[in-house]
Amino acid sequence: MVTDVSKDKTEVGNYFISNYPPFSFWNRESLPSITEAFETPSTSVEPMGLYLHIPFCRKRCKFCYFRVYTDVQAKAIQDYVDTLAHEVAMIAEKPAVQGREFRFVYFGGGTPSFLSERQLLGLVDKLRTSIRWDNADEVTFECEPGTLSQPKLEAIKEIGVTRLSLGVENFDDAVLEENGRAHKSKEIFRAWDWIQETGFKQINIDLIAGMIGETTENWEACIKRTIDLSPDSVTIYQLELPYNTRYSKSLTVLGQEIDVAPWSLKRQWLNYAYDELLANGYEISSAYTLRKKSTNQVKFLYRDNLWHGSDLLCAGVASFGHLSGVHYQNIDGLEEYQAAVAENRLPLNRALVVSPEESLIRQMILQMKLGRLDAGYFRSKFGREIFTDFRQPFEDLVSRELARIDGDKFTLTREGFLRVDSLLPAFFKPEHQGNRYT
Ligand code: SF4
């Protein structure tokens, strides 16, 4: 179920909406559709990207709901990296992929920077025997501060990374410790100097509003420290409690009380961050990301392409992709994933054919997170009038002063930005409302 933020209390459930239709509707029966999509030469004019999943972390954060592995030996990591390269080689040979270039690449996780320089350079050498991303407009790499070193950053730069995203989350050691983060503030500052020395086209800092133990005073200090570091962009998520996190299990299974900030307080903290960043030369790029105004080159192409319907091929255990109108996810158990690839099978686990109506809704709700919609885009791409066809939910947003509509332009107000994910299910098809999201 998508979390009802009007209740204010942070309950177990999903707030963040990353895709549509909900993952809980993806199924094994639809697997032949993704197999067929891979085997059919693509006529798509959409850009294509590649997501590479590195599922290892030093420690499991207590709020984490991703498929990650900790305490893994170097040999097992090398086996995984080899499997990943093998999977990409299989993908590259598929008719749907041949002759197309990757416009954007994303190393996500888990913790991609958990890989050693040797593992990383070895992986990329192997990948380069089947694919290239020399012409990619953006290559993003997620980092955990405590896994970085100067030589590793050099290796990350050498493989063509243009956008480095640093998972700071908070600057206070007690908050980091309480939430199970592997790093401390000292490692953030140490890594930051190395990152500056190495030099990347774009550097993003990730923060989370509402980590357990957060206070207004500490949050304000976090934002000031972030501004002092002066990254190209700052991404801020509000802490949620999806199923399968340690915190959610403490609440639901063990019946323990956890002092989680209510949604109204998290919005207040996010609002403060917006104000401070806007006053210090940043502008809003989406409900989560503020970017520096000055350079005008600060983009996030992975996000923008995905939210405009691009194809995204994925590789790695439990990773998510989209090809020729079909959503898909890889097998989500490490051994089973590796066994499938060893047998030269694409490790597909579940899929969903996205209808034109669902594709329109998907792009509309995802682009709404940018804070703006252009009805003309949907008119020319889908032949639909979104403000007429979705009159009720749009009118509701305007009457609640969460958005404005002026001609073809829809814009979120500040209040709309702060709670945007909670506004999106109203645009879902009826059968997708009120169901579990993941
Ligand atoms: S570092 Fe990221 S992926 Fe790893 S456990 Fe923490 S939240 Fe999850």
Side-chain angles (χ1 to χ4, degrees):
M1 203 85 105
V2 177
T3 300
D4 178 2
V5 300
S6 64
K7 283 189 192 155
D8 205 22
K9 183 171 180 215
T10 300
E11 293 180 332
V12 175
N14 295 90
Y15 168 72
F16 188 77
I17 291 181
S18 59
N19 212 337
Y20 180 81
F23 298 102
S24 56
F25 288 83
W26 302 21
N27 57 71
R28 292 189 66 77
E29 292 70 49
S30 301
L31 281 178
S33 303
I34 185 62
T35 305
E36 191 188 328
F38 270 112
E39 297 302 336
T40 309
S42 173
T43 51
S44 173
V45 291
E46 301 286 2
M48 183 175 71
L50 176 66
Y51 175 86
L52 296 155
H53 190 65
I54 308 295
F56 308 111
C57 292
R58 289 199 293 159
K59 236 172 118 177
R60 186 173 184 84
C61 304
K62 293 184 193 170
F63 52 79
C64 179
Y65 56 95
F66 299 121
R67 166 69 69 186
V68 295
Y69 300 87
T70 54
D71 301 320
V72 182
Q73 301 302 313
K75 161 82 173 70
I77 294 171
Q78 190 56 51
D79 286 349
Y80 179 81
V81 162
D82 292 344
T83 306
L84 196 61
H86 183 172
E87 186 191 359
V88 170
M90 281 194 287
I91 292 171
E93 288 188 351
K94 295 293 175 192
V97 181
Q98 293 214 327
R100 297 176 75 190
E101 286 195 271
F102 291 110
R103 303 306 313 169
F104 55 99
V105 177
Y106 195 102
F107 287 83
T111 307
S113 60
F114 187 81
L115 298 184
S116 66
E117 294 95 273
R118 228 172 110 224
Q119 288 161 341
L120 182 60
L121 294 173
L123 168 66
V124 172
D125 273 351
K126 285 199 177 117
L127 292 176
R128 285 198 167 130
T129 61
S130 52
I131 59 161
R132 302 206 74 83
W133 56 70
D134 304 348
N135 293 325
D137 302 313
E138 179 183 275
V139 180
T140 295
F141 198 95
E142 291 180 347
C143 300
E144 187 256 279
T147 58
L148 291 174
S149 66
Q150 226 161 0
K152 193 179 287 187
L153 283 158
E154 290 295 343
I156 292 170
K157 189 167 183 186
E158 198 181 316
I159 64 169
V161 169
T162 61
R163 183 176 180 275
L164 193 91
S165 187
L166 189 68
V168 167
E169 321 309 358
N170 202 290
F171 288 91
D172 182 79
D173 286 346
V175 173
L176 292 167
E177 174 76 32
E178 159 56 41
N179 289 264
R181 288 293 294 180
H183 71 270
K184 293 283 189 307
S185 57
K186 193 173 79 185
E187 291 165 304
I188 300 171
F189 295 113
R190 192 181 64 178
W192 190 257
D193 289 342
W194 293 331
I195 291 169
Q196 298 301 307
E197 281 162 30
T198 312
F200 289 89
K201 200 166 158 196
Q202 196 188 327
I203 302 163
N204 174 72
I205 280 184
D206 269 353
L207 298 174
I208 299 175
M211 287 171 86
I212 309 301
E214 186 59 285
T215 61
T216 297
E217 193 187 5
N218 181 63
W219 178 250
E220 293 182 1
C222 282
I223 298 303
K224 290 200 166 76
R225 282 183 154 175
T226 303
I227 290 169
D228 286 346
L229 294 179
S230 189
D232 299 292
S233 60
V234 183
T235 300
I236 307 172
Y237 298 103
Q238 296 180 56
L239 187 93
E240 56 183 318
L241 296 176
Y243 303 91
N244 301 329
T245 68
R246 280 181 59 189
Y247 278 140
S248 323
K249 282 186 184 147
S250 300
L251 278 167
T252 56
V253 181
L254 306 175
Q256 293 168 342
E257 274 301 309
I258 296 175
D259 193 12
V260 196
W263 290 103
S264 53
L265 185 54
K266 287 186 279 193
R267 285 196 294 273
Q268 204 177 301
W269 286 335
L270 185 57
N271 197 37
Y272 172 84
Y274 275 26
D275 283 342
E276 287 299 304
L277 285 158
L278 289 172
N280 282 278
Y282 288 79
E283 62 185 358
I284 295 176
S285 150
S286 80
Y288 324 98
T289 305
L290 288 100
R291 65 179 172 206
K292 255 191 197 164
K293 238 195 259 175
S294 52
T295 58
N296 204 24
Q297 286 173 340
V298 183
K299 296 193 171 121
F300 188 10
L301 296 171
Y302 169 81
R303 174 197 73 194
D304 291 343
N305 277 304
L306 278 196
W307 291 3
H308 286 78
S310 70
D311 281 341
L312 178 72
L313 303 182
C314 65
V317 64
S319 55
F320 295 93
H322 182 90
L323 176 66
S324 307
V326 187
H327 286 326
Y328 67 101
Q329 185 189 16
N330 272 352
I331 292 171
D332 69 355
L334 196 52
E335 279 180 27
E336 213 191 324
Y337 159 77
Q338 288 181 313
V341 177
E343 290 167 12
N344 290 318
R345 282 190 288 123
L346 284 186
L348 303 167
N349 180 45
R350 58 176 179 163
L352 187 75
V353 178
V354 184
S355 70
E357 170 80 2
E358 290 163 349
S359 180
L360 177 146
I361 294 173
R362 175 176 183 261
Q363 291 186 42
M364 184 173 67
I365 60 174
L366 293 177
Q367 288 175 36
M368 216 179 276
K369 286 141 86 72
L370 296 170
R372 54 196 179 274
L373 287 176
D374 173 9
Y377 169 87
F378 296 92
R379 192 176 301 126
S380 59
K381 191 162 185 178
F382 296 95
R384 296 277 300 273
E385 292 297 335
I386 55 170
F387 298 147
T388 309
D389 296 351
F390 296 86
R391 183 185 303 277
Q392 183 62 50
F394 276 120
E395 279 184 0
D396 182 50
L397 295 185
V398 173
S399 70
R400 291 164 64 200
E401 299 187 354
L402 297 169
R404 292 184 204 96
I405 294 178
D406 183 10
D408 270 359
K409 305 286 176 223
F410 164 97
T411 44
L412 286 179
T413 61
R414 174 69 70 90
E415 262 311 306
F417 266 116
L418 298 175
R419 61 176 76 228
V420 65
D421 289 84
S422 70
L423 310 178
L424 308 182
F427 293 85
F428 288 7
K429 287 166 75 179
E431 62 265 39
H432 295 144
Q433 294 189 6
N435 275 297
R436 204 172 145 152
Y437 181 70
T438 50

